Amino acid sequence: MRLEGDFGGCCYCFRECFIGGCFIERDPMKAAACLFIAVVAGNAVVGDVMAQPPVARKGPITDTYHGVKVSEDYRWLEDWSSGEVKEWSEKQNAYARSVLDNLPGVEAIRKRLTELESGASVHYHGMKTLESGGLLAIKNDPSKQQPMLVALKSVSDPGSTRVVVDPNAIDPTGSTTIDWFVPSPDGKLVAVSLSTGGDETGTVRVYEVGSGKARGEADVIPRAHGGTAGGGLAWLGDSSGFYYTRYPRAGERPAEDMNFYVQVYLHRLGEGTANDTYVIGKDFVRIAEIVLEMDPSGRWLLVSVQDGDGGEFEHHLMNPKGKWSKLDSFKDKVVEANFGKGNLFLVSRDGAPRGKILRIALGSDDAVHTAKDGVQIVGQGAGSVSTDFFGNTGVKASESRLYVLYQAGGPNELKVFDFDGKPMGDVPIPAVSAVDEIVTLDGDNVLIESQSFISPPAWYAYDAGKNELTRSKLFQTSPADFSKFEVVREFATSKDGTKVPVNIIRHMGLGMAIENGLRDGSKPRVVNAKDAKAGWELPAPTVLWGYGGYGVNQTPTFSPRRALFLEQGGVFAIANIRGGGEYGAEWHRSGNLTKKQNVFDDFHAAAQLLIDRGYTNRDRLAIMGGSNGGLLMGAVMTQHPDLCKAVVSSVGIYDMLRVELSPNGAFNITEFGTVKDKAQFEAIAAYSPYHHVKDGTRYPAVLMPVGMNDMRVDPMHSRKMIARLQAADPKGMFLMRTSMNAGHGIGSSLNERIELNVDVYGFLFDQLGVEYRAVTK
């Protein structure tokens, strides 16, 4: 049954049944058996598809930007305090539920997704060594709603694992999650940020590593972590206290500034937050994002600051005498700094858009430094140094070596140098893979976590002396069988001639048919092909994923959920489009601010590649993305409404003229630009998805998942975009799926993730003409 056009029937009450009870607090496998009853427009309805979504009234408003008048009808949907907005949103969700819950194969999809998500083995990540011996890590147990903080002796002894902090015990509803943790230098204590309901507002608590016991209220630090600006902590060398990021407290700032103006404070254990002292930050920009790091000796404090989300940084260093030095400014292009054996290593893109490495010898306790003191030890290479502001993974220093992580258009390479920059070879990581974490051990040996599109994450021990990489006992297994699938990297040609990598996960037999069809030319001869036994056919149902922003790298990542789609004969593709950092700063800069259109052109070219190569056609192609990737979906859909059959656009940004006015919007100005600047306004107005929906145009079916606790993207974007699409194309299918117990997707419970993906893949299968068939083992 293909659900599109006009429907007849009813709705489900999402507030009590979908979010509050059946799916979150009860077994998701039994949830669909629950009887949903709701009252919509005064009529009691049970079990059928609603005839139409609720109509949004029009309230015309006109703004003028640089002499240009811009009108819209749905400004009123921005006000979540309005009862009218809440009622409309609830009815929209009821309409979405009435469609999604009546899609064919939903129960079978739920069963298989639960097997895939819950059937994997445990996964350890966020690994940190303890000075007292052993390791701390986040353990993701698929049988639990939330990951736990655990201690273990080594990666070769998973049996030694014991729980230190368990959010599932703290909050049986599964709504509390660990944001981050930092162990004390002596290894006896660990500071942990915890947030609830996906809101990412973290409170720090201190626990004993040995017993898991929480220290008293005097060491509870509220509002130490936030959504976009994040948070961090660095212990004093003697473990008697710590520096931490502090968001404004009640009464200190106006309501609109409560998630800005982050500063650094010092807390001493047992003394209470009232006695905490200011350290630095009053002169930082309003949209400062801060990371803290103490050097291994416990004497030098590094405060790294990002100017919003745009990829510009400055670094402040406090010497052991307590004197601060400003190493660099935002325009100096130093993008990362890391301590190592009496040195500070800087990654600079000044004159080297793919990155070079500088070294500063820290020297005496009263030394004051600037980035100009840095001596270049590693010049720019063919790949781009892979930096991560909150992870600091680009450069890791062991006893006498530097491990430098590079980007090669998506996959990683890991190279080794001595402290003078002499090349020491490459670490033999798996082909077309990602290195997610590097943990230094004694001497020059390290632990490395790696994964690929078709191989689950695993921890490897690297022997520097032998140049050998050995998989440890900490590796994840999955019920998702990718043995019949392969990954190929092809290159699309964008509008301006730029070559754009596209990673294509496909069945091997399907791939052979594609290659055979192309042997005598660039156009496919095999227009239709089928292997009923293997379960694939051409043109194949295909999903293309993209992001393209903030310099974020789309690296090879294992996802058991993709197996659900591939098992049904699908093809899944991931495009490394501009706006990311896969080829360095130039790749990012050519896809932000006034050059954002390049991102959309790249993605369109990737989609066209899949069609031209014979993988799929318009009626069997879906596109998918979230957050900044939601903006991508909106722009591509409005610029090319006939490109694909379906769109899944999660927690997206659509009204680009007003995004900077949202509570979190200011952080995005350095990436998107501001309407206050004429040139930037003209670029933004040229692609803002909400403003380019045209009456009378037929658009692809759209599913927009939204989390009401989203601190990063205001859900008003989805409300306005859905209302505009429904008005422009009354016969189309436009669904806004709202979860009241989720945010931007970070920290969602296991059940929440399963139910979201039941809806996503049920929607995709229905739109792409896939009749779900059970997987035979």
Side-chain angles (χ1 to χ4, degrees):
M1 175 179 62
R2 184 73 56 82
L3 293 175
E4 57 185 349
D6 297 330
F7 311 112
C10 111
C11 78
Y12 298 148
C13 177
F14 87 100
R15 183 183 293 277
E16 295 300 324
C17 293
F18 178 67
I19 299 302
C22 299
F23 294 143
I24 300 305
E25 297 175 357
R26 295 164 55 181
D27 186 342
M29 294 297 294
K30 300 177 182 177
C34 181
L35 176 65
F36 296 94
I37 301 176
V39 177
V40 177
N43 297 315
V45 288
V46 180
D48 296 325
V49 178
M50 291 175 62
Q52 295 178 347
V55 176
R57 67 172 174 84
K58 294 185 177 181
I61 291 179
T62 299
D63 297 312
T64 302
Y65 303 90
H66 307 283
V68 178
K69 292 185 177 181
V70 180
S71 298
E72 65 157 307
D73 291 325
Y74 302 110
R75 180 79 54 85
W76 65 277
L77 284 171
E78 295 181 7
D79 183 10
W80 185 242
S81 67
S82 164
E84 181 185 13
V85 173
K86 291 180 179 179
E87 180 182 5
W88 180 88
S89 182
E90 290 185 12
K91 290 180 178 179
Q92 281 287 345
N93 194 73
Y95 167 66
R97 289 256 51 87
S98 78
V99 173
L100 296 168
D101 292 329
N102 280 285
L103 292 173
V106 167
E107 279 306 306
I109 294 170
R110 178 176 290 111
K111 181 175 184 296
R112 182 58 177 154
L113 270 172
T114 302
E115 291 172 352
L116 291 169
E117 291 280 10
S118 302
S121 65
V122 298
H123 173 216
Y124 294 83
H125 59 97
M127 196 84 68
K128 299 181 188 298
T129 56
L130 294 174
E131 186 66 28
S132 55
L135 301 161
L136 285 181
I138 297 295
K139 178 183 177 182
N140 188 356
D141 184 340
S143 68
K144 305 289 186 180
Q145 293 297 315
Q146 292 288 352
M148 303 165 284
L149 176 63
V150 299
L152 66 162
K153 293 179 181 178
S154 72
V155 293
S156 61
D157 189 8
S160 65
T161 299
R162 58 179 177 80
V163 176
V164 178
V165 179
D166 184 2
N168 303 286
I170 295 171
D171 178 6
T173 69
S175 296
T176 297
T177 193
I178 295 173
D179 305 310
W180 43 260
F181 69 93
V182 184
S184 62
D186 62 12
K188 296 180 179 180
L189 300 172
V190 59
V192 182
S193 175
L194 295 153
S195 59
T196 302
D199 67 4
E200 299 184 74
T201 301
T203 296
V204 167
R205 289 176 168 80
V206 180
Y207 295 85
E208 297 175 358
V209 171
S211 66
K213 180 181 178 181
R215 288 179 59 93
E217 290 298 311
D219 296 320
V220 175
I221 315 293
R223 292 180 56 77
H225 178 81
T228 298
L233 182 148
W235 284 86
L236 294 171
D238 62 2
S239 302
S240 64
F242 48 77
Y243 299 97
Y244 68 93
T245 48
R246 182 185 186 274
Y247 284 75
R249 305 291 169 78
E252 293 180 354
R253 294 276 183 182
E256 62 269 21
D257 286 336
M258 292 300 286
N259 292 319
F260 300 90
Y261 293 108
V262 183
Q263 298 176 6
V264 179
Y265 272 63
L266 172 63
H267 174 77
R268 295 192 178 274
L269 294 179
E271 296 187 4
T273 58
N275 296 311
D276 292 355
T277 55
Y278 165 81
V279 177
I280 194 172
K282 290 180 180 179
D283 296 326
F284 292 170
V285 294
R286 179 176 182 261
I287 54 176
E289 303 172 13
I290 300 174
V291 170
L292 308 178
E293 183 183 1
M294 185 68 73
D295 87 301
S297 73
R299 298 159 59 245
W300 297 80
L301 176 66
L302 177 68
V303 177
S304 301
V305 182
Q306 182 173 201
D307 185 15
D309 280 342
E312 293 183 336
F313 310 86
E314 65 182 28
H315 301 84
H316 302 259
L317 184 66
M318 187 175 74
N319 68 23
K321 297 292 187 180
K323 186 171 183 178
W324 286 98
S325 56
K326 187 175 181 180
L327 293 173
D328 58 311
S329 298
F330 291 133
K331 300 302 181 183
D332 291 336
K333 300 183 180 180
V334 174
V335 297
E336 187 171 298
N338 295 288
F339 289 114
K341 293 299 175 182
N343 298 287
L344 187 64
F345 296 98
L346 309 179
V347 179
S348 171
R349 300 198 191 277
D350 185 19
R354 294 187 299 280
K356 60 186 177 183
I357 300 174
L358 314 178
R359 186 187 68 193
I360 297 175
L362 293 176
S364 63
D365 287 358
D366 57 358
V368 177
H369 298 285
T370 71
K372 294 180 180 179
D373 299 332
V375 176
Q376 178 177 315
I377 57 172
V378 179
Q380 178 173 251
S384 173
V385 179
S386 181
T387 58
D388 180 350
F389 178 63
F390 290 107
N392 273 13
T393 57
V395 177
K396 287 286 185 180
S398 62
E399 184 70 29
S400 64
R401 299 188 180 191
L402 281 182
Y403 290 84
V404 183
L405 188 63
Y406 285 90
Q407 257 294 315
N412 286 132
E413 296 174 345
L414 185 56
K415 297 181 179 295
V416 188
F417 303 87
D418 68 14
F419 285 178
D420 293 322
K422 178 183 177 182
M424 305 289 287
D426 292 2
V427 178
I429 62 175
V432 193
S433 67
V435 173
D436 300 316
E437 297 181 55
I438 304 169
V439 179
T440 56
L441 302 174
D442 292 336
D444 288 321
N445 296 336
V446 296
L447 298 174
I448 296 167
E449 187 191 32
S450 181
Q451 63 181 310
S452 74
F453 288 119
I454 56 178
S455 300
W459 281 93
Y460 295 83
Y462 177 65
D463 187 315
K466 299 178 179 179
N467 190 33
E468 290 181 354
L469 195 67
T470 304
R471 192 177 75 166
S472 75
K473 292 183 178 181
L474 295 188
F475 61 89
Q476 188 178 35
T477 60
S478 172
D481 181 8
F482 284 86
S483 62
K484 296 179 182 178
F485 300 95
E486 62 184 356
V487 180
V488 294
R489 278 171 64 82
E490 302 194 21
F491 289 82
T493 302
S494 193
K495 187 176 181 179
D496 63 359
T498 299
K499 299 298 183 182
V500 179
V502 184
N503 308 277
I504 303 171
I505 311 173
R506 65 190 190 185
H507 190 283
M508 292 177 183
L510 182 151
M512 186 176 297
I514 289 287
E515 300 308 324
N516 288 340
L518 291 168
R519 282 180 180 168
D520 60 357
S522 60
K523 293 292 183 180
R525 286 190 297 106
V526 180
V527 178
N528 294 286
K530 186 173 184 178
D531 186 333
K533 185 176 180 180
W536 61 263
E537 64 179 356
L538 291 173
T542 301
V543 169
L544 175 63
W545 167 274
Y547 186 77
Y550 301 100
V552 172
N553 303 317
Q554 296 296 297
T555 57
T557 304
F558 181 81
S559 170
R561 291 186 295 274
R562 291 192 197 120
L564 178 80
F565 191 73
L566 295 168
E567 290 166 351
Q568 303 303 311
V571 171
F572 203 104
I574 301 95
N576 293 119
I577 55 182
R578 280 176 286 185
E582 289 88 345
Y583 290 109
E586 291 177 337
W587 197 251
H588 173 215
R589 298 300 181 198
S590 62
N592 77 344
L593 297 176
T594 59
K595 297 181 180 179
K596 192 70 178 175
Q597 181 59 42
N598 286 334
V599 178
F600 315 137
D601 292 340
D602 288 0
F603 192 79
H604 176 252
Q608 198 61 51
L609 170 79
L610 295 170
I611 295 171
D612 292 344
R613 287 274 284 161
Y615 285 101
T616 193
N617 59 27
R618 182 264 175 201
D619 289 329
R620 307 214 80 187
L621 174 64
I623 60 175
M624 189 186 321
S627 190
N628 173 75
L631 164 62
L632 172 65
M633 296 302 104
V636 172
M637 173 180 62
T638 51
Q639 292 178 17
H640 307 281
D642 59 350
L643 175 66
C644 63
K645 186 62 185 289
V647 180
V648 177
S649 185
S650 303
V651 294
I653 311 169
Y654 308 108
D655 185 346
M656 293 302 296
L657 298 185
R658 291 180 60 78
V659 62
E660 62 190 89
L661 301 178
S662 298
N664 198 56
F667 289 108
N668 298 308
I669 290 174
T670 49
E671 176 72 11
F672 298 140
T674 173
V675 296
K676 297 176 183 177
D677 179 280
K678 187 175 186 294
Q680 291 177 356
F681 159 72
E682 290 173 349
I684 293 169
Y687 69 76
S688 178
Y690 174 64
H691 298 92
H692 286 274
V693 178
K694 297 179 181 178
D695 292 335
T697 298
R698 291 309 309 269
Y699 290 98
V702 178
L703 172 62
M704 287 187 180
V706 181
M708 283 312 303
N709 295 331
D710 195 336
M711 295 290 289
R712 300 187 183 222
V713 175
D714 193 324
M716 69 88 171
H717 287 277
S718 295
R719 292 194 294 268
K720 293 174 68 173
M721 188 67 173
I722 282 289
R724 183 69 188 95
L725 285 167
Q726 289 172 346
D729 182 7
K731 292 184 178 181
M733 180 191 287
F734 309 107
L735 307 176
M736 185 175 72
R737 176 204 188 274
T738 303
S739 171
M740 300 299 291
N741 199 45
H744 203 60
I746 299 167
S748 295
S749 68
L750 172 65
N751 286 348
E752 185 79 32
R753 296 195 305 273
I754 290 174
E755 288 308 315
L756 169 61
N757 284 287
V758 168
D759 291 342
V760 167
Y761 284 100
F763 171 79
L764 289 174
F765 288 152
D766 181 65
Q767 289 298 314
L768 301 183
V770 177
E771 183 177 347
Y772 184 83
R773 64 187 190 283
V775 176
T776 56
K777 298 180 180 179

